[in-house]
Amino acid sequence: QLEQSITSKTKAIIFSSPCNPSGAVYTKAELKGLADVFKKHPNIVVISDEIYEHINFSGVHESIAQFDEIKEQVVVINGVSKGFAMTGWRIGVLAANKEIADACVKLQGQTTSGSCSIAQQAALEAFKKDPKEMPELKEMVTIFRERRDLLVSKLNEIPGFDTRIPNGAFYLLPDVSYYFGKSDGEHQIKDADDLTLYLLHKANVALVSGAAFGNDQCIRFSYATSNDILIEASRRIKETLSHLK
């Protein structure tokens, strides 16, 4: 399917693993299959977003940059905001061949100022650590796994939600098309955009339509918050959706 979708106009392909918004994680075998396609199209740049590398419940992160035959085509995007919980430090990194890296330096240098030296040194210390030897990282991943399981269990109690269990990141992307066409007598739900607005106004719960990510049958949940908030949000959603017939 990937090869069939590639045209002569295709210049770059972007994907993420672990994925935002679904939390899906590519295996090495799956990435090898993608690499076998990309090596047939050396004009295509593969942009691999790996910012959730360490929030990975399968325990193993695989990068598509590991395959020598396409290494020069791959641009890896990463940073410290997710895996090291350093969101406010605003440090991102890019790994690419020299031609692409030099072009990015020219562009970045004209659009943003440099990050402060404190943030750069803090990020350097984070990258120098062995993730397997970081108890804080292990604790964070454990907590996110518990929150994932909690939210999945709560969403499974809501009729019509089709929720897959993700292996990384901190998102759920349930299929909610069951509610399309339903109404509470005042509002009719046409699509995912309608449903997210309905839940925002009626349940005071903020979600994101899957249409923003290319899947208009779904809505995205983030479980990067406390258990109490996840439980209360799920309760409100379940109660609010019970009025749709």
Side-chain angles (χ1 to χ4, degrees), residues 93-167:
V93 297
L94 175 150
N97 67 48
K98 190 174 187 303
E99 181 181 4
I100 293 176
D102 286 346
C104 290
V105 168
K106 289 181 181 179
L107 178 62
Q108 187 272 343
Q110 302 303 316
T111 56
T112 63
S113 59
S115 300
C116 73
S117 59
I118 297 174
Q120 292 182 45
Q121 290 300 316
L124 179 60
E125 286 301 309
F127 284 124
K128 286 164 60 177
K129 299 288 186 181
D130 181 352
K132 296 179 181 178
E133 302 299 326
M134 295 180 64
E136 301 90 350
L137 177 57
K138 292 180 181 179
E139 181 183 9
M140 181 175 67
V141 173
T142 296
I143 291 172
F144 274 132
R145 183 187 289 110
E146 292 172 351
R147 290 175 180 171
R148 177 202 67 180
D149 294 343
L150 171 64
L151 185 56
V152 168
S153 69
K154 291 299 179 183
L155 295 187
N156 283 341
E157 296 175 2
I158 302 176
F161 271 51
D162 183 5
T163 307
R164 296 186 179 184
I165 300 177
N167 280 323

Coordinates of all heavy atoms in Angstrom, one line a residue, residues 93-167:
V93 N 16.4 18.0 18.7 CA 17.6 17.6 18.0 C 17.2 17.0 16.6 O 16.1 16.5 16.5 CB 18.5 16.6 18.8 CG1 19.0 17.3 20.0 CG2 17.7 15.4 19.1
L94 N 18.1 17.0 15.7 CA 17.9 16.5 14.4 C 19.1 15.7 14.0 O 20.2 16.2 14.2 CB 17.5 17.6 13.4 CG 17.4 17.2 11.9 CD1 16.4 18.2 11.3 CD2 18.7 17.4 11.2
A95 N 19.0 14.5 13.4 CA 20.1 13.8 12.8 C 19.8 13.5 11.4 O 18.7 13.0 11.0 CB 20.3 12.5 13.6
A96 N 20.7 13.9 10.5 CA 20.5 13.7 9.1 C 21.9 13.7 8.4 O 22.9 13.9 9.0 CB 19.6 14.8 8.5
N97 N 21.9 13.4 7.1 CA 23.1 13.5 6.3 C 23.5 15.0 6.3 O 22.8 15.9 6.6 CB 23.0 12.9 4.9 CG 22.0 13.8 4.0 OD1 22.1 15.0 3.9 ND2 21.1 13.0 3.3
K98 N 24.8 15.2 6.0 CA 25.4 16.6 6.1 C 24.7 17.6 5.2 O 24.5 18.8 5.7 CB 26.9 16.6 5.8 CG 27.6 17.9 6.1 CD 29.1 17.7 5.9 CE 29.8 18.9 6.4 NZ 29.3 20.2 5.8
E99 N 24.3 17.2 4.0 CA 23.6 18.2 3.1 C 22.3 18.7 3.8 O 22.0 19.9 3.8 CB 23.3 17.5 1.8 CG 22.7 18.4 0.8 CD 22.4 17.7 -0.5 OE1 22.6 16.5 -0.6 OE2 21.9 18.4 -1.5
I100 N 21.5 17.8 4.3 CA 20.2 18.2 4.9 C 20.5 18.9 6.2 O 19.8 20.0 6.4 CB 19.4 16.9 5.1 CG1 18.9 16.3 3.8 CG2 18.1 17.3 6.0 CD1 18.1 15.0 4.0
A101 N 21.4 18.5 7.0 CA 21.7 19.1 8.3 C 22.2 20.6 8.0 O 21.7 21.5 8.7 CB 22.7 18.4 9.0
D102 N 23.0 20.8 7.0 CA 23.5 22.1 6.7 C 22.4 23.0 6.3 O 22.3 24.2 6.7 CB 24.6 22.1 5.7 CG 25.9 21.5 6.2 OD1 26.1 21.5 7.4 OD2 26.8 21.2 5.3
A103 N 21.5 22.5 5.5 CA 20.3 23.3 5.0 C 19.4 23.7 6.2 O 18.9 24.8 6.3 CB 19.5 22.5 4.0
C104 N 19.2 22.7 7.1 CA 18.4 23.0 8.3 C 19.0 24.1 9.2 O 18.3 24.9 9.8 CB 18.2 21.7 9.1 SG 17.1 20.5 8.3
V105 N 20.4 24.0 9.3 CA 21.0 25.0 10.1 C 20.8 26.4 9.5 O 20.6 27.4 10.2 CB 22.6 24.7 10.2 CG1 23.3 25.9 10.7 CG2 22.8 23.5 11.0
K106 N 20.9 26.5 8.2 CA 20.7 27.8 7.5 C 19.2 28.3 7.8 O 19.0 29.5 8.1 CB 20.9 27.7 6.0 CG 22.3 27.5 5.6 CD 22.5 27.4 4.1 CE 23.9 27.2 3.7 NZ 24.1 27.1 2.2
L107 N 18.3 27.4 7.7 CA 16.9 27.8 7.9 C 16.6 28.2 9.3 O 16.0 29.2 9.6 CB 16.0 26.7 7.4 CG 14.5 26.9 7.6 CD1 14.0 28.1 6.8 CD2 13.7 25.6 7.3
Q108 N 17.1 27.3 10.2 CA 16.8 27.6 11.7 C 17.5 28.9 12.1 O 16.9 29.6 12.9 CB 17.4 26.4 12.5 CG 17.0 26.4 14.0 CD 18.0 27.2 14.8 OE1 19.1 27.4 14.3 NE2 17.6 27.6 16.0
G109 N 18.7 29.1 11.6 CA 19.4 30.3 12.0 C 18.7 31.6 11.6 O 19.0 32.7 12.2
Q110 N 17.8 31.6 10.7 CA 17.1 32.8 10.2 C 15.7 32.9 10.8 O 15.0 33.9 10.6 CB 17.0 32.8 8.7 CG 18.3 32.7 8.0 CD 19.3 33.8 8.4 OE1 18.8 35.0 8.4 NE2 20.5 33.5 8.6
T111 N 15.2 31.8 11.5 CA 13.9 31.9 12.0 C 13.8 31.8 13.5 O 12.8 32.3 14.0 CB 13.1 30.6 11.4 OG1 13.8 29.4 11.8 CG2 13.0 30.7 9.9
T112 N 14.7 31.3 14.2 CA 14.7 31.3 15.7 C 16.0 31.6 16.3 O 17.1 31.5 15.6 CB 14.3 29.9 16.2 OG1 15.3 28.9 15.8 CG2 13.0 29.4 15.6
S113 N 16.0 32.1 17.5 CA 17.2 32.3 18.2 C 17.7 31.1 18.9 O 16.9 30.1 19.0 CB 17.0 33.4 19.2 OG 16.0 33.1 20.2
G114 N 18.9 31.0 19.3 CA 19.4 29.8 20.0 C 18.8 29.6 21.3 O 18.5 30.6 22.0
S115 N 18.7 28.4 21.8 CA 18.3 28.1 23.1 C 19.3 28.5 24.1 O 20.5 28.5 23.8 CB 18.0 26.6 23.3 OG 17.0 26.1 22.4
C116 N 18.9 28.9 25.3 CA 19.9 29.4 26.3 C 20.8 28.3 26.7 O 20.6 27.1 26.6 CB 19.1 29.9 27.5 SG 18.4 28.6 28.6
S117 N 22.0 28.7 27.2 CA 23.1 27.7 27.5 C 22.7 26.8 28.6 O 23.1 25.6 28.6 CB 24.4 28.5 27.9 OG 24.1 29.3 29.0
I118 N 21.8 27.2 29.5 CA 21.4 26.4 30.6 C 20.6 25.2 30.1 O 20.8 24.0 30.5 CB 20.6 27.2 31.7 CG1 21.4 28.2 32.3 CG2 20.0 26.2 32.7 CD1 20.7 29.2 33.2
A119 N 19.7 25.5 29.2 CA 18.8 24.4 28.6 C 19.7 23.5 27.8 O 19.5 22.3 27.8 CB 17.7 25.1 27.7
Q120 N 20.7 24.0 27.0 CA 21.5 23.1 26.2 C 22.3 22.2 27.1 O 22.5 21.0 26.8 CB 22.5 24.0 25.4 CG 21.7 24.8 24.3 CD 22.7 25.6 23.4 OE1 23.7 25.1 23.0 NE2 22.4 26.9 23.2
Q121 N 22.9 22.7 28.2 CA 23.7 21.8 29.1 C 22.8 20.8 29.8 O 23.2 19.6 30.0 CB 24.4 22.7 30.1 CG 25.5 23.5 29.5 CD 26.6 22.7 28.9 OE1 27.0 21.7 29.4 NE2 27.0 23.1 27.7
A122 N 21.6 21.2 30.1 CA 20.7 20.2 30.8 C 20.3 19.1 29.8 O 20.2 17.9 30.2 CB 19.4 20.9 31.3
A123 N 20.0 19.5 28.6 CA 19.7 18.5 27.5 C 20.9 17.6 27.3 O 20.7 16.3 27.1 CB 19.3 19.2 26.2
L124 N 22.1 18.1 27.3 CA 23.3 17.3 27.0 C 23.4 16.2 28.1 O 23.7 15.1 27.8 CB 24.5 18.2 27.0 CG 25.8 17.5 26.8 CD1 25.9 16.7 25.5 CD2 27.0 18.5 26.9
E125 N 23.2 16.6 29.4 CA 23.3 15.7 30.5 C 22.2 14.6 30.3 O 22.5 13.4 30.6 CB 23.1 16.4 31.8 CG 24.3 17.2 32.2 CD 25.5 16.3 32.4 OE1 25.5 15.3 33.1 OE2 26.5 16.7 31.8
A126 N 21.0 14.9 29.8 CA 20.0 13.9 29.6 C 20.4 12.9 28.6 O 20.2 11.7 28.7 CB 18.7 14.6 29.2
F127 N 20.9 13.4 27.4 CA 21.3 12.5 26.3 C 22.5 11.6 26.7 O 22.7 10.6 26.1 CB 21.6 13.3 25.1 CG 20.4 13.8 24.4 CD1 20.2 15.2 24.1 CD2 19.4 13.0 24.0 CE1 19.1 15.6 23.5 CE2 18.2 13.4 23.3 CZ 18.1 14.8 23.1
K128 N 23.3 12.1 27.6 CA 24.5 11.3 28.0 C 24.1 10.1 28.9 O 24.9 9.2 29.1 CB 25.5 12.2 28.7 CG 26.2 13.1 27.8 CD 26.9 14.3 28.5 CE 28.0 13.8 29.5 NZ 28.7 14.9 30.1
K129 N 22.9 10.2 29.5 CA 22.5 9.1 30.4 C 22.1 7.9 29.7 O 21.6 7.9 28.5 CB 21.3 9.6 31.3 CG 21.6 10.8 32.2 CD 22.5 10.4 33.3 CE 22.6 11.6 34.3 NZ 23.5 11.3 35.4
D130 N 22.3 6.7 30.3 CA 21.8 5.5 29.7 C 20.4 5.3 30.2 O 20.1 5.2 31.4 CB 22.6 4.3 30.3 CG 22.2 2.9 29.7 OD1 21.1 2.9 29.1 OD2 22.9 1.9 30.0
P131 N 19.4 5.3 29.3 CA 18.0 5.2 29.7 C 17.7 4.1 30.6 O 16.8 4.1 31.5 CB 17.2 5.1 28.4 CG 18.1 5.8 27.4 CD 19.5 5.4 27.9
K132 N 18.4 2.9 30.4 CA 18.2 1.8 31.3 C 18.6 1.9 32.7 O 18.2 1.2 33.6 CB 18.9 0.6 30.6 CG 18.4 0.2 29.3 CD 19.2 -1.0 28.7 CE 18.7 -1.4 27.3 NZ 19.4 -2.5 26.7
E133 N 19.4 3.0 32.9 CA 20.0 3.2 34.3 C 19.3 4.4 34.9 O 19.8 5.0 35.9 CB 21.5 3.4 34.2 CG 22.2 2.2 33.6 CD 22.0 0.9 34.4 OE1 21.9 1.0 35.6 OE2 22.0 -0.1 33.8
M134 N 18.2 4.9 34.4 CA 17.5 6.1 34.9 C 16.3 5.7 35.7 O 15.2 5.4 35.0 CB 17.2 7.0 33.8 CG 18.4 7.6 33.1 SD 18.0 8.8 31.8 CE 17.1 10.0 32.7
P135 N 16.3 5.6 37.0 CA 15.1 5.2 37.7 C 13.9 6.2 37.5 O 12.7 5.8 37.5 CB 15.5 5.2 39.2 CG 16.7 6.1 39.2 CD 17.4 5.9 37.9
E136 N 14.2 7.5 37.3 CA 13.1 8.4 37.0 C 12.4 8.1 35.7 O 11.1 8.2 35.7 CB 13.7 9.9 36.9 CG 14.4 10.3 38.2 CD 15.9 10.0 38.1 OE1 16.3 9.2 37.2 OE2 16.6 10.5 39.0
L137 N 13.1 7.7 34.7 CA 12.5 7.4 33.4 C 11.6 6.1 33.6 O 10.5 6.0 33.1 CB 13.6 7.2 32.4 CG 13.1 6.7 31.0 CD1 12.1 7.7 30.4 CD2 14.3 6.6 30.0
K138 N 12.2 5.1 34.3 CA 11.4 3.9 34.5 C 10.1 4.1 35.3 O 9.1 3.6 34.9 CB 12.3 2.9 35.3 CG 13.5 2.3 34.5 CD 14.3 1.4 35.3 CE 15.5 0.9 34.6 NZ 16.4 -0.1 35.4
E139 N 10.2 5.0 36.3 CA 9.0 5.3 37.0 C 8.0 6.0 36.2 O 6.8 5.7 36.3 CB 9.4 6.2 38.2 CG 8.2 6.6 39.1 CD 8.6 7.5 40.2 OE1 9.7 8.0 40.3 OE2 7.7 7.8 41.1
M140 N 8.5 7.0 35.3 CA 7.5 7.7 34.5 C 6.8 6.7 33.5 O 5.6 6.8 33.3 CB 8.3 8.7 33.7 CG 7.4 9.6 32.7 SD 8.3 10.9 31.9 CE 9.4 10.0 30.8
V141 N 7.6 5.8 32.9 CA 7.0 4.9 32.0 C 6.0 4.0 32.7 O 4.9 3.7 32.2 CB 8.1 4.0 31.3 CG1 7.4 2.9 30.4 CG2 8.9 4.9 30.4
T142 N 6.3 3.5 33.9 CA 5.4 2.7 34.7 C 4.1 3.5 35.0 O 3.0 2.9 34.8 CB 6.0 2.3 36.0 OG1 7.2 1.5 35.7 CG2 5.1 1.5 36.9
I143 N 4.2 4.7 35.3 CA 3.0 5.5 35.6 C 2.2 5.7 34.4 O 0.9 5.6 34.4 CB 3.4 6.9 36.2 CG1 4.0 6.7 37.6 CG2 2.2 7.9 36.3 CD1 4.6 8.0 38.2
F144 N 2.8 6.0 33.2 CA 2.1 6.2 32.0 C 1.4 4.9 31.6 O 0.2 4.9 31.1 CB 3.0 6.6 30.9 CG 3.1 8.1 30.8 CD1 4.4 8.7 30.7 CD2 2.1 9.0 30.9 CE1 4.6 10.0 30.6 CE2 2.2 10.3 30.8 CZ 3.5 10.9 30.7
R145 N 2.0 3.7 31.8 CA 1.4 2.4 31.5 C 0.1 2.2 32.4 O -0.9 1.8 31.9 CB 2.3 1.3 31.7 CG 1.7 -0.1 31.3 CD 2.6 -1.2 31.7 NE 3.8 -1.3 30.9 CZ 5.0 -1.0 31.3 NH1 5.3 -0.6 32.5 NH2 6.1 -1.1 30.4
E146 N 0.2 2.6 33.7 CA -0.9 2.5 34.6 C -2.0 3.4 34.2 O -3.2 3.0 34.2 CB -0.5 2.8 36.0 CG 0.5 1.8 36.6 CD 1.1 2.2 37.9 OE1 0.9 3.4 38.3 OE2 1.7 1.4 38.6
R147 N -1.7 4.6 33.8 CA -2.7 5.5 33.3 C -3.4 5.1 32.0 O -4.6 5.2 31.8 CB -2.1 6.9 33.1 CG -1.7 7.6 34.4 CD -1.0 8.9 34.0 NE -0.6 9.6 35.2 CZ 0.2 10.7 35.2 NH1 0.7 11.2 34.1 NH2 0.5 11.3 36.4
R148 N -2.6 4.5 31.1 CA -3.1 3.9 29.9 C -4.1 2.9 30.2 O -5.3 2.9 29.7 CB -2.0 3.3 29.0 CG -2.5 2.7 27.7 CD -1.5 1.6 27.2 NE -1.3 0.5 28.1 CZ -0.5 -0.5 27.9 NH1 0.3 -0.5 26.8 NH2 -0.4 -1.5 28.7
D149 N -3.8 1.9 31.1 CA -4.7 0.8 31.4 C -5.9 1.3 32.1 O -7.0 0.8 31.9 CB -3.9 -0.2 32.3 CG -2.8 -0.9 31.6 OD1 -2.8 -0.8 30.3 OD2 -1.9 -1.5 32.3
L150 N -5.8 2.4 32.9 CA -6.9 2.9 33.6 C -7.9 3.5 32.6 O -9.1 3.3 32.6 CB -6.5 4.0 34.6 CG -7.6 4.8 35.3 CD1 -8.5 4.0 36.1 CD2 -7.0 6.0 36.1
L151 N -7.3 4.4 31.7 CA -8.2 5.1 30.8 C -8.8 4.1 29.8 O -10.0 4.2 29.4 CB -7.4 6.1 30.0 CG -8.2 7.0 29.0 CD1 -9.4 7.7 29.8 CD2 -7.3 8.0 28.4
V152 N -8.1 3.1 29.3 CA -8.7 2.1 28.5 C -9.9 1.4 29.2 O -10.9 1.1 28.6 CB -7.6 1.0 28.0 CG1 -8.3 -0.2 27.4 CG2 -6.6 1.6 27.1
S153 N -9.7 1.0 30.4 CA -10.7 0.3 31.2 C -12.0 1.2 31.3 O -13.1 0.7 31.2 CB -10.3 -0.1 32.5 OG -10.0 1.0 33.4
K154 N -11.8 2.5 31.5 CA -12.9 3.4 31.6 C -13.6 3.6 30.3 O -14.8 3.7 30.2 CB -12.4 4.8 32.2 CG -12.0 4.7 33.6 CD -13.1 4.2 34.5 CE -12.7 4.1 36.0 NZ -13.8 3.6 36.9
L155 N -12.8 3.8 29.2 CA -13.4 4.0 27.9 C -14.2 2.7 27.4 O -15.2 2.8 26.7 CB -12.4 4.4 26.9 CG -11.7 5.7 27.1 CD1 -10.8 6.1 25.9 CD2 -12.7 6.8 27.3
N156 N -13.7 1.6 27.9 CA -14.4 0.3 27.5 C -15.8 0.2 28.1 O -16.6 -0.6 27.7 CB -13.5 -0.9 27.9 CG -12.4 -1.1 26.9 OD1 -12.4 -0.6 25.8 ND2 -11.4 -1.9 27.3
E157 N -16.0 1.0 29.1 CA -17.3 1.0 29.8 C -18.3 1.9 29.0 O -19.5 1.9 29.4 CB -17.2 1.6 31.2 CG -16.4 0.7 32.1 CD -16.1 1.2 33.5 OE1 -16.7 2.4 33.8 OE2 -15.4 0.6 34.3
I158 N -17.8 2.7 28.1 CA -18.7 3.6 27.3 C -19.2 2.9 26.0 O -18.3 2.4 25.2 CB -17.9 4.9 26.9 CG1 -17.4 5.6 28.2 CG2 -18.8 5.8 26.1 CD1 -16.6 6.8 27.9
P159 N -20.5 2.7 25.8 CA -21.0 2.0 24.7 C -20.5 2.7 23.4 O -20.4 3.9 23.3 CB -22.5 2.2 24.8 CG -22.7 2.4 26.3 CD -21.6 3.2 26.8
G160 N -20.1 1.9 22.4 CA -19.7 2.4 21.1 C -18.3 2.8 20.9 O -17.9 3.2 19.8
F161 N -17.5 2.8 22.0 CA -16.1 3.2 21.9 C -15.3 1.9 21.5 O -15.4 0.9 22.1 CB -15.5 3.7 23.2 CG -15.7 5.2 23.3 CD1 -16.9 5.8 23.1 CD2 -14.6 6.0 23.7 CE1 -17.0 7.2 23.3 CE2 -14.7 7.4 23.8 CZ -15.9 8.0 23.6
D162 N -14.5 2.0 20.4 CA -13.6 0.9 19.9 C -12.2 1.4 20.2 O -11.6 2.2 19.4 CB -13.9 0.7 18.5 CG -13.0 -0.5 18.0 OD1 -12.4 -1.2 18.8 OD2 -13.1 -0.8 16.7
T163 N -11.6 0.9 21.3 CA -10.3 1.4 21.7 C -9.2 0.3 21.6 O -9.4 -0.7 22.2 CB -10.4 1.9 23.2 OG1 -11.5 2.8 23.3 CG2 -9.1 2.6 23.6
R164 N -8.2 0.6 20.9 CA -7.0 -0.3 20.8 C -6.0 0.1 21.9 O -5.8 1.3 22.2 CB -6.4 -0.2 19.4 CG -7.4 -0.7 18.4 CD -6.7 -0.8 17.0 NE -7.5 -1.3 16.0 CZ -7.2 -1.5 14.7 NH1 -5.9 -1.3 14.4 NH2 -8.0 -2.0 13.8
I165 N -5.3 -0.9 22.4 CA -4.3 -0.6 23.4 C -3.0 -0.3 22.8 O -2.4 -1.1 22.1 CB -4.1 -1.8 24.4 CG1 -5.5 -2.2 25.1 CG2 -3.1 -1.6 25.4 CD1 -5.4 -3.4 25.9
P166 N -2.5 0.9 23.0 CA -1.2 1.4 22.4 C 0.0 0.9 23.1 O -0.1 0.5 24.3 CB -1.3 2.9 22.4 CG -2.1 3.2 23.6 CD -3.1 2.0 23.7
N167 N 1.1 0.9 22.5 CA 2.4 0.4 23.1 C 3.4 1.5 23.4 O 4.5 1.3 23.8 CB 3.1 -0.6 22.2 CG 2.5 -2.0 22.3 OD1 2.1 -2.4 23.4 ND2 2.4 -2.7 21.2

